[in-house]
């Protein structure tokens, strides 16, 4: 099938779509564009096999490396694929398609921060600075038993869904057609509309993340100044600072900042738990933020009286927020020399987040009970220690603002403005000038979001329900259903022929989709169950966050565009 000639022929000829009897939908590839509507699933799958067959991946049958235990979870169907192992072993020009060669060099701009450099993805990029933010928010909404249950559920559900992304990446990414974003997976299995939808969701999530950073820093600066400066002015000052540092277009050499920020966050957690163990809660902040009057500390195993069901759901969304890195997992894998090893860093990062959540969250709740606020480090009562942890937090959030702001603008520019509106590339002079103009607009919008909804818990709960839950829990099983249906529908004699550039299918329509879904019916039913469950949880989370925002405006000191700090002075 595929031979030495296939890759050479692919480069030399501009082929057209044809139809040939029962081989309906036979198509010859005409371009090498990443989002070419003429490229079929079978062609993406074919070239992914070639890329995985390279010795650096240790994935082909001729590899002398010891098989990885996880290899059984990333199988390529035997006897039904377009490329046989013998054809792969005979591919003499495989080095011509290796990562970093001519195919990788095309369209080298990537709409994300390449934090993970070519040798691999550092652990810190998989648990970015703001991932530990919700750990510091593990307060009054999540109790002993419910906290353990919700944290464990979020962790246990996020991990297998991350594996689904990893598996789809390995079976769809290739040197000829590299995957560069979450939306690229959606495009290859579900089409253009799915890709654009996920690109919009990704842009919204990053924008709201920046808004949360503005709120947190405004609260911290207000506490440091003892309320002598208007809260909304401090938020505006931080937005201006973000617009200035956001002019940095490339962050390739700043990956160490994310690693540095992780350990500062851990230091903040340790300092917070140590101080609150030997001091009273910050009653003023608890009253302003939680409407909790001064009194004896109360801790409960389950939801206490007074916390409605929507409040408990918002607490669950804080746990969901901690596993929001899935949005960028594809970008991380795209930067790796050996994407097959991504699962190791992913498991380590998510286990680390889960351990911190369980340990520090419960320690803080045991000491402060209903007086724990969001974020918890701002609930420290001694002013000297409060200033110290706020100052450290300003450093980590500055790094987070630099990372998320840069990523967010690039994702928005590349996937929305360039693809949908035809804006010029950032590599062009006009694109660079547009970047200078877009950065302050982006931060201005984030400031408006932060100023209008100055409640960290409810804003983070809202963005967790609208976007983060989708990327971590809803989209992966949904996309896997489309992926499995198309991959498992390939029968003997079907698939992509590298030597001729043809995609052969003996049937089409609903019958083909149903045949693909029936092949692994139990697994597909499980993915469908998780997809529907995640979708229902998202709807419930959005409703609860909106109700929480309405109650926060009605019952607490929280109000939009106000000089009053939501956590007090």
């Amino acid at each position: 099938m595929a031979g030495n000639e296939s890759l050479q022929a692919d480069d030399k000829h501009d082929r057209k779509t044809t139809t040939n009897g029962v081989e309906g939908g036979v198509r010859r590839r005409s371009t090498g564009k990443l989002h070419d509507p003429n490229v079929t699933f079978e062609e993406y799958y074919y070239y992914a096999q070639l890329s995985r067959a390279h010795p650096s991946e240790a994935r082909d049958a001729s590899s002398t490396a010891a098989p990885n235990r996880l290899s059984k979870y990333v199988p390529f169907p035997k006897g039904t694929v377009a490329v046989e192992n013998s054809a792969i072993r005979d591919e003499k020009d495989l080095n011509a398609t290796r990562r970093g060669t001519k195919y990788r060099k095309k369209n080298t701009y990537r709409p994300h921060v390449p934090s993970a450099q070519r040798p691999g993805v550092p652990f810190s990029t998989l648990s970015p600075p703001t991932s530990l933010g919700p750990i510091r928010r593990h307060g009054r909404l999540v109790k002993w038993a419910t906290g353990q249950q919700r944290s464990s559920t979020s962790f246990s559900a996020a991990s297998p869904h991350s594996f689904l992304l990893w598996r789809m990446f390995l079976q769809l990414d290739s040197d000829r057609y590299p995957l560069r974003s979450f939306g690229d997976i959606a495009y290859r299995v579900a089409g253009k509309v799915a890709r654009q939808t996920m690109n919009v969701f990704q842009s919204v999530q990053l924008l709201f993340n920046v808004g949360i950073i503005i709120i947190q820093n405004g609260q911290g600066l207000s506490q440091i100044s003892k309320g002598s400066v208007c809260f909304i002015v401090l938020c505006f000052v931080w937005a201006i600072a973000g617009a200035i540092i956001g002019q940095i277009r490339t962050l390739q050499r700043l990956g160490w900042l994310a690693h540095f920020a992780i350990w500062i966050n851990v230091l903040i957690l340790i300092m917070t738990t140590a101080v609150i163990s030997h001091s009273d809660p910050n009653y003023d902040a608890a009253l302003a933020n939680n409407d909790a009057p001064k009194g004896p500390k109360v801790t409960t195993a389950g939801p206490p009286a007074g916390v409605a069901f929507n409040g408990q759901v918002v607490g669950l969304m804080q746990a969901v927020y901690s596993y929001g890195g899935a949005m960028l997992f594809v970008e991380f894998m795209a930067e790796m020399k050996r994407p097959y090893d991504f699962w190791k860093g992913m498991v380590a990062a998510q286990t680390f987040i889960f351990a911190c959540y369980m340990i520090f969250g419960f320690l803080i709740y045991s000491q402060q009970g209903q007086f724990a606020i969001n974020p918890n480090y701002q609930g420290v009562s001694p002013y000297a220690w409060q200033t110290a942890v706020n100052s450290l937090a300003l450093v980590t959030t500055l790094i987070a603002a630099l990372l998320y702001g840069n990523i967010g603008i690039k994702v928005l520019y590349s996937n929305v403005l360039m693809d949908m509106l035809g804006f010029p590339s950032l590599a062009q002079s006009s694109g660079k000038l547009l970047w200078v103009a877009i950065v302050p607009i982006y931060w201005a919008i984030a400031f408006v979001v932060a100023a209008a909804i100055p409640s960290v818990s409810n804003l983070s709960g809202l963005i967790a329900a609208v976007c983060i839950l989708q990327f971590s829990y809803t989209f992966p099983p949904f996309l896997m259903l489309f992926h499995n249906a198309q991959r498992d529908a390939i029968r003997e004699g079907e698939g992509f022929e590298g030597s001729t550039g043809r995609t052969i299918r003996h049937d089409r329509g609903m019958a083909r989709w149903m045949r693909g879904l029936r092949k692994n019916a139990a697994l597909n039913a499980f993915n469908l169950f998780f997809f529907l469950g995640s979708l229902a949880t998202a709807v419930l989370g959005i409703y609860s966050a909106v109700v929480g925002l309405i109650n926060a405006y009605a019952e607490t000191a929280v109000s939009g565009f106000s000089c009053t700090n939501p956590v007090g002075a």
Side-chain angles (χ1 to χ4, degrees):
M1 277 188 159
N4 224 12
E5 313 76 30
S6 63
L7 296 177
Q8 297 172 356
D10 285 342
D11 285 333
K12 292 178 180 178
H13 299 289
D14 197 22
R15 302 183 174 112
K16 299 180 181 180
T17 301
T18 63
T19 302
N20 183 16
V22 293
E23 296 181 347
V26 175
R27 189 201 53 74
R28 295 174 182 251
R29 189 177 55 78
S30 60
T31 72
K33 295 192 301 181
L34 295 181
H35 304 123
D36 184 353
N38 293 320
V39 179
T40 61
F41 177 89
E42 288 85 347
E43 185 171 351
Y44 289 128
Y45 190 59
Y46 169 88
Y47 284 107
Q49 289 179 278
L50 289 183
S51 296
R52 298 290 85 79
H54 194 276
S56 67
E57 297 283 358
R59 291 289 291 116
D60 65 308
S62 63
S63 174
T64 57
N68 191 298
R69 291 182 179 180
L70 289 179
S71 61
K72 62 182 179 180
Y73 297 111
V74 202
F76 289 102
K78 298 179 180 179
T80 61
V81 295
V83 183
E84 299 174 354
N85 285 334
S86 59
I88 295 175
R89 290 194 294 269
D90 291 339
E91 187 62 58
K92 304 300 183 182
D93 280 346
L94 197 55
N95 286 333
T97 60
R98 190 177 181 181
R99 294 181 186 275
T101 58
K102 57 184 178 182
Y103 298 117
R104 249 332 159 180
K105 289 178 181 177
K106 292 181 181 179
N107 303 318
T108 53
Y109 168 71
R110 299 176 187 272
H112 65 282
V113 178
S115 342
Q117 300 303 318
R118 270 290 189 237
V121 173
F123 163 76
S124 59
T125 60
L126 295 177
S127 51
T130 53
S131 290
L132 294 182
I135 298 170
R136 303 194 299 256
R137 303 170 193 162
H138 201 61
R140 70 183 185 96
L141 297 179
V142 181
K143 309 306 177 182
W144 292 114
T146 52
Q148 186 274 336
Q149 293 168 0
R150 292 167 186 173
S151 299
S152 300
T153 300
S154 299
F155 169 72
S156 59
S159 297
H161 288 167
S162 299
F163 274 100
L164 294 182
L165 293 175
W166 170 70
R167 180 177 178 180
M168 285 187 286
F169 183 91
L170 293 181
Q171 296 192 7
L172 293 173
D173 171 74
S174 65
D175 300 303
R176 185 180 294 272
Y177 299 113
L179 286 170
R180 294 176 175 175
S181 68
F182 203 107
D184 286 349
I185 291 183
Y187 180 82
R188 296 184 188 188
V189 301
K192 181 179 179 180
V193 174
R195 174 177 176 265
Q196 292 177 340
T197 299
M198 294 185 188
N199 286 339
V200 170
F201 270 85
Q202 193 175 30
S203 300
V204 171
Q205 178 177 334
L206 289 166
L207 177 67
F208 273 70
N209 282 345
V210 173
I212 291 173
I213 289 171
I214 292 175
I215 297 175
Q216 286 183 316
N217 286 344
Q219 291 178 173
L221 289 171
S222 182
Q223 285 189 328
I224 292 173
S225 66
K226 294 186 176 181
S228 60
V229 182
C230 177
F231 169 71
I232 201 65
V233 171
L234 294 175
C235 290
F236 182 70
V237 168
W238 187 258
I240 293 176
I244 294 174
I245 64 173
Q247 295 299 332
I248 301 175
R249 287 197 311 275
T250 176
L251 302 176
Q252 291 184 359
R253 295 187 176 90
L254 300 181
W256 60 274
L257 279 176
H259 185 79
F260 180 63
I262 287 293
W263 298 112
I264 293 182
N265 270 316
V266 173
L267 176 61
I268 292 172
L269 292 172
I270 294 173
M271 291 173 62
T272 300
T273 53
V275 173
I276 66 176
S277 298
H278 299 86
S279 61
D280 293 331
N282 189 335
Y283 295 113
D284 293 336
L287 181 62
N289 189 255
N290 297 343
D291 198 25
K294 184 176 180 179
K297 178 187 69 178
V298 177
T299 59
T300 61
V307 177
F309 177 74
N310 68 281
Q312 301 171 43
V313 175
V314 171
L316 172 62
M317 291 301 107
Q318 305 306 310
V320 169
Y321 193 98
S322 292
Y323 299 98
M327 171 187 63
L328 297 175
F329 279 0
V330 175
E331 279 91 337
F332 293 149
M333 285 185 278
E335 293 294 335
M336 295 183 69
K337 182 179 180 180
R338 288 175 52 89
Y340 192 75
D341 291 335
F342 169 80
W343 69 271
K344 302 173 185 177
M346 181 267 294
V347 170
Q350 292 189 343
T351 302
F352 174 75
I353 292 172
F354 174 71
C356 287
Y357 218 128
M358 298 297 287
I359 295 171
F360 291 104
F362 288 159
L363 281 174
I364 291 172
Y365 180 63
S366 68
Q367 296 298 318
Q368 292 199 325
Q370 77 274 26
F371 301 112
I373 69 167
N374 187 351
N376 280 324
Y377 65 87
Q378 292 180 353
V380 172
S381 57
Y383 176 74
W385 285 105
Q386 184 187 89
T387 302
V389 292
N390 271 320
S391 299
L392 289 174
L394 290 176
V395 175
T396 64
T397 49
L398 176 65
I399 296 171
L402 179 64
L403 294 175
Y404 277 125
N406 188 280
I407 295 171
I409 297 172
K410 285 182 177 177
V411 167
L412 176 68
Y413 191 93
S414 176
N415 294 331
V416 178
L417 299 181
M418 284 181 61
D419 286 357
M420 297 182 183
L421 302 179
F423 276 45
S425 168
L426 286 175
Q428 302 177 15
S429 298
S430 56
K432 294 177 181 178
L433 292 175
L434 284 171
W435 172 275
V436 174
I438 289 173
V439 169
I441 296 175
Y442 186 88
W443 277 88
I445 296 173
F447 165 74
V448 171
V449 171
I453 314 176
S455 172
V456 175
S457 294
N458 289 294
L459 181 57
S460 59
L462 180 62
I463 193 59
V466 173
C467 296
I468 295 177
L469 192 146
Q470 318 310 325
F471 284 109
S472 298
Y473 303 97
T474 307
F475 291 155
F478 172 76
L479 296 177
M480 198 66 186
L481 285 171
F482 278 82
H483 171 275
N484 288 348
Q486 296 175 80
R487 186 201 64 184
D488 293 338
I490 303 174
R491 297 185 296 190
E492 190 71 36
E494 295 185 333
F496 178 76
E497 291 184 338
S499 58
T500 63
R502 299 188 307 164
T503 295
I504 301 175
R505 295 175 182 171
H506 292 164
D507 62 350
R508 57 176 58 250
M510 185 59 66
R512 183 177 183 85
W513 284 89
M514 294 306 297
R515 183 178 71 249
L517 290 172
R518 283 196 302 266
K519 186 169 183 179
N520 291 294
L523 179 61
N524 291 328
F526 183 77
N527 286 332
L528 179 62
F529 171 79
F530 256 103
F531 164 67
L532 295 176
S534 300
L535 198 60
T537 304
V539 173
L540 186 61
I542 294 172
Y543 168 79
S544 298
V546 171
V547 172
L549 285 170
I550 294 174
N551 293 339
Y553 279 107
E555 300 172 3
T556 68
V558 174
S559 61
F561 298 93
S562 171
C563 278
T564 303
N565 185 358
V567 295

